[in-house]
Amino acid sequence: MENNVIVFFLSFLSSVVFIEGFKRFQKKLRIGQYIREEGPDLHNYKTGTPTAAGLVFIPIFIAVLLNFNRGPESFLIAFSALSYGLIGAIDDFMKIKRKNASGITAVQKLFMQFTAAFIIVYFIQQINPHTYLIVPFSGYKLDLGWFYYLLSSVVIVGVSNAVNLTDGVDGLAGFVFIGSIVPLLIVGYQSVVYLSLIGLLVGFLWHNWHPASIFMGDAGSLALGGILATSFALNGLELFLIFFGFIFLLETLSVIIQVTSFKFRGKRVFRMSPIHHHFELLGWKEEKIAFRFSTLALLVSLLGIIGWREL
């Protein structure tokens, strides 16, 4: 229990302090976020806001995790954080260098993400060999054979990108992530991992609550998704991400539905996707979106805890 308290407060305080310094560094060099032209006009004022806070809190996460837990699972989760954080950092750097919101291409990003995912899945099989998915509420192990390796890799890449899609309004990705993982503390799953992440994200939200003075950047969002997916894939728990990543799944589905509908019907389902922009254009304030989405994330993840009891 004492270590858990230390993990949380060490992560929180480090995040608050070092992100503050990182903000000042960017302001001094006049470095900042470039807003996508296809995004809501409401966001134009955010251009120039410091970004890539993940470059601060992901290294802190790795340091805290490996200081308090040096088991093979922790090293693999740290590798996931590092690899997806680096992919995001490259994307953030290219945006700043080109002075627009276009970073690396989708093909380049997916190639790097799948490469990292294949490596992660390979080492998962060395740590905990399995080819099954555990079905929530039943505990049944659905064996998929060799197809499991591909599916697990797709899940890791998908969740990484899903968290990235959710990072669209002030405070949203951070609060939704916290709401999604807090119930895991009830069952004690990967406690050091999730206590550290909660502390780091609370510290990040100290700066990111509306109006945000810094953004997470791809370095943060891609890494968070990678960490979440990897920690579940370690034990064949990918199906539980339906509950513990519900909002991330919803955001992704909204983009798929929007693109598919426009391509085949010539009509949009939402005013804008991902879906948080739809509600923003309906008049919801960023604070309301962050609060309601994170509350929904918490409630659905609590349902996941009920299904967890069968494990």
Side-chain angles (χ1 to χ4, degrees), residues 113-187:
Q113 286 179 309
F114 271 106
T115 299
F118 291 148
I119 294 171
I120 291 166
V121 170
Y122 171 79
F123 280 106
I124 286 175
Q125 296 307 312
Q126 310 309 306
I127 297 170
N128 180 25
H130 65 277
T131 55
Y132 58 77
L133 296 173
I134 298 179
V135 180
F137 299 98
S138 70
Y140 176 74
K141 295 181 179 179
L142 179 64
D143 199 313
L144 300 176
W146 64 268
F147 181 70
Y148 172 79
Y149 307 135
L150 177 60
L151 179 62
S152 186
S153 299
V154 170
V155 168
I156 293 171
V157 173
V159 173
S160 176
N161 286 321
V163 176
N164 182 243
L165 286 174
T166 307
D167 186 28
V169 299
D170 296 351
L172 181 60
F175 266 114
V176 166
F177 200 93
I178 291 173
S180 299
I181 65 176
V182 161
L184 290 171
L185 301 180
I186 298 173
V187 295

Side-chain angles (χ1 to χ4, degrees), residues 106 177 221 260 273 310:
F177 200 93
S221 58
T260 303
S273 66
E310 301 299 329

Side-chain angles (χ1 to χ4, degrees), residues 33-303:
Q33 178 73 42
Y34 290 89
I35 305 302
R36 291 186 179 276
E37 293 180 1
E38 65 269 25
D41 292 338
L42 299 170
H43 289 195
N44 290 337
Y45 75 93
K46 298 182 180 184
T47 296
T49 301
T51 188
L55 288 175
V56 176
F57 66 73
I58 293 303
I60 296 173
F61 166 74
I62 294 171
V64 171
L65 174 62
L66 297 183
N67 184 66
F68 286 88
N69 189 337
R70 296 187 180 181
E73 291 189 355
S74 293
F75 276 101
L76 188 56
I77 290 172
F79 172 78
S80 180
L82 178 62
S83 57
Y84 282 95
L86 283 174
I87 294 168
I90 293 170
D91 199 32
D92 288 332
F93 173 76
M94 293 306 295
K95 291 173 184 176
I96 293 171
K97 182 180 179 180
R98 295 172 179 171
K99 297 184 178 181
N100 61 50
S102 298
I104 57 178
T105 67
V107 172
Q108 291 171 328
K109 183 182 290 187
L110 286 173
F111 175 78
M112 290 187 285
Q113 286 179 309
F114 271 106
T115 299
F118 291 148
I119 294 171
I120 291 166
V121 170
Y122 171 79
F123 280 106
I124 286 175
Q125 296 307 312
Q126 310 309 306
I127 297 170
N128 180 25
H130 65 277
T131 55
Y132 58 77
L133 296 173
I134 298 179
V135 180
F137 299 98
S138 70
Y140 176 74
K141 295 181 179 179
L142 179 64
D143 199 313
L144 300 176
W146 64 268
F147 181 70
Y148 172 79
Y149 307 135
L150 177 60
L151 179 62
S152 186
S153 299
V154 170
V155 168
I156 293 171
V157 173
V159 173
S160 176
N161 286 321
V163 176
N164 182 243
L165 286 174
T166 307
D167 186 28
V169 299
D170 296 351
L172 181 60
F175 266 114
V176 166
F177 200 93
I178 291 173
S180 299
I181 65 176
V182 161
L184 290 171
L185 301 180
I186 298 173
V187 295
Y189 187 69
Q190 299 284 357
S191 295
V192 173
V193 171
Y194 290 113
L195 275 170
S196 178
L197 287 177
I198 291 169
L200 289 166
L201 289 174
V202 171
F204 165 68
L205 288 166
W206 186 279
H207 305 279
N208 183 246
W209 186 245
H210 185 73
S213 57
I214 192 169
F215 300 133
M216 182 182 296
D218 286 12
S221 58
L222 292 180
L224 287 175
I227 294 167
L228 180 64
T230 300
S231 71
F232 277 69
L234 273 162
N235 295 290
L237 298 171
E238 288 93 338
L239 288 178
F240 281 83
L241 288 167
I242 295 172
F243 301 97
F244 296 96
F246 176 75
I247 293 296
F248 305 131
L249 176 62
L250 185 66
E251 295 273 16
T252 303
L253 286 176
S254 72
V255 174
I256 294 172
I257 291 169
Q258 185 86 325
V259 172
T260 303
S261 176
F262 189 77
K263 182 177 181 179
F264 292 101
R265 299 170 59 240
K267 297 180 181 179
R268 293 181 174 86
V269 176
F270 309 104
R271 292 194 175 189
M272 185 175 288
S273 66
I275 197 169
H276 57 261
H277 288 319
H278 172 78
F279 289 106
E280 191 175 11
L281 293 177
L282 286 178
W284 288 23
K285 298 296 184 182
E286 294 189 46
E287 301 95 314
K288 178 184 284 189
I289 295 171
F291 174 76
R292 290 188 174 178
F293 275 47
S294 58
T295 299
L296 183 57
L298 175 61
L299 294 175
V300 176
S301 61
L302 286 171
L303 288 177

